[in-house]
Amino acid sequence: MKKFKYLYIGVLSAILSGTFTSCEDYLDVNKNPNYPDESQVTVTTLLPSAFTGSAAVMGYLYQLYGSMWSQHYTQNPSSSQYITLVNYAMTSSSDLRLWRIPYADVLPDLDLVIKKSEEEGAWNYWVVGKIMTAFTYHVLTDAYGDIPFTEALKGQNCKYDDSKTVIYPGIIKMLDDAIDKEAEASAKGLKTMNVEDYIYDGDIAKWIRFAKTLKLKLLMRDFDTNKAEIQTMLAAGDFLKDDATVHCFEDVVNKSNPFYENDRRQLNTTNNVRACTTLYNYLAKYEDPRIGDFYEKTAASDRTEYRAIPYGNRTSSAYSISTTSRAVIGATDPVYYMSAAEAEYLLAECYARLGDKGSAKTHYDKAVELSFARWNHDEKAAEFIAVGKPYEFQDTDEESMLKCILTQKWIASTRCQAWDAWFDINRTGIPEVSEYTTDDATYVLGTLAYNPNSSLTKGQFAHRFIYSKESLDYNTNAPTKVPAITEPLWWHKK
């Protein structure tokens, strides 16, 4: 791996630990006081800086929250590092980094990438800056709802825009603008961009496919309204084929995957994140070979079995560290923004909603194959999707198709795109939120279990992050009524 990247990857843990900016000093959420003057930076340093901050927050915090709320993992009962998260007990002060890093660190970097590359005619940098800006706003508005957008980064008291009518159209326009610049961004003689691009090493064709797939994903938030445009996009094709990942990590301090770095290296225990019965029981039922890629065998002397913990269960005597499975988190795991498997699941869903069962099955089968291949189980996929087998495509009606597609997508997001699984659960209601624990006889396999220690009532779920205290305290245009964690966003399933 090229040393150039390590200059930036090495500061991941510093970004997440907040050593760049303290809460006390951070009074203006729209201006980073540690940010250098524009004249001192170039696109070749700004773009890696943006990737570093983005990978730090997406690869650790968003992945952590998504993993817990999607019930891939749960908290070790004998410790409490993530217990407020597991119990859905977020407040505006829960984790300021969820907002601060993408909004106040990543977006300003990308904004300067766009401005400076436009001045220089460096359209390859411009396209990447636009697409990454669109992606960042997509994650923020899908996590928080209405956020600063049209006035973002312009001052302390910028207004909050409506997610549906202002932000989503604005994000889609960013993607369209980037797509329209493909020829200019691919022209000869442009400023070199390879190691500065942590995802595709300067391959603009891959970035354009990423942009098109992200646009399709956003249009699917309101399928009925966008049906004609979705059909036009499907007819044109050219969607993502290569995983969009930051993949330059090493098993070395401050150079490893941010989830691994923060949970396995920096904490005083490495046993917080454990296997959750919600997902584990489903995989075990069908003898899915990916169990060993997601969970370790128990630490008991024989190390011959896996054992999971019911979501949110705090009975340490029954679920000790030695008798339960720890989640597998790899030091060199990439940070995922989008994957080829996700693209195929998305296409399968599009065709299912259009009533094209044949195309839906084709893309579903491909998605499952890619999901197995990610963990080197290529030969097993065909066995699972064959007629009469556990993951055979079900096409009785639209509901059965969607349940089949979204359930497999939920499984496939483990250890890579759990934050996106959380978005999908809210958007589609799949997996369904149950009122029962996995120990209850009434519990249905493959549904999200009830946490008896939850701060929410039975049947409720975390639909959004709570607005950051920093934004609420220092922006006079921040909402006076803070939406509850259970309040759905406009695109959620009602």
Side-chain angles (χ1 to χ4, degrees), residues 395-455:
D395 64 357
T396 304
D397 51 24
E398 180 179 306
E399 182 179 354
S400 64
M401 287 191 285
L402 293 180
K403 183 175 181 181
C404 190
I405 294 164
L406 272 300
T407 299
Q408 287 305 311
K409 192 178 180 187
W410 165 64
I411 296 170
S413 68
T414 310
R415 199 179 158 188
C416 58
Q417 288 174 274
W419 53 270
D420 199 51
W422 173 50
F423 288 161
D424 272 340
I425 291 164
N426 282 321
R427 178 176 65 90
T428 67
I430 302 170
E432 183 180 349
V433 178
S434 173
E435 295 187 2
Y436 305 99
T437 67
T438 51
D439 294 331
D440 195 299
T442 317
Y443 171 79
V444 177
L445 190 69
T447 60
L448 298 184
Y450 173 63
N451 173 5
N453 296 302
S454 174
S455 63

Side-chain angles (χ1 to χ4, degrees), residues 283 286-293 306 372 377 380 384 391:
L283 298 174
Y286 300 116
E287 299 182 350
D288 192 312
R290 291 172 292 182
I291 288 178
D293 302 297
Y306 300 95
F372 274 68
H377 300 297
K380 290 288 186 179
F384 278 78
Y391 300 160

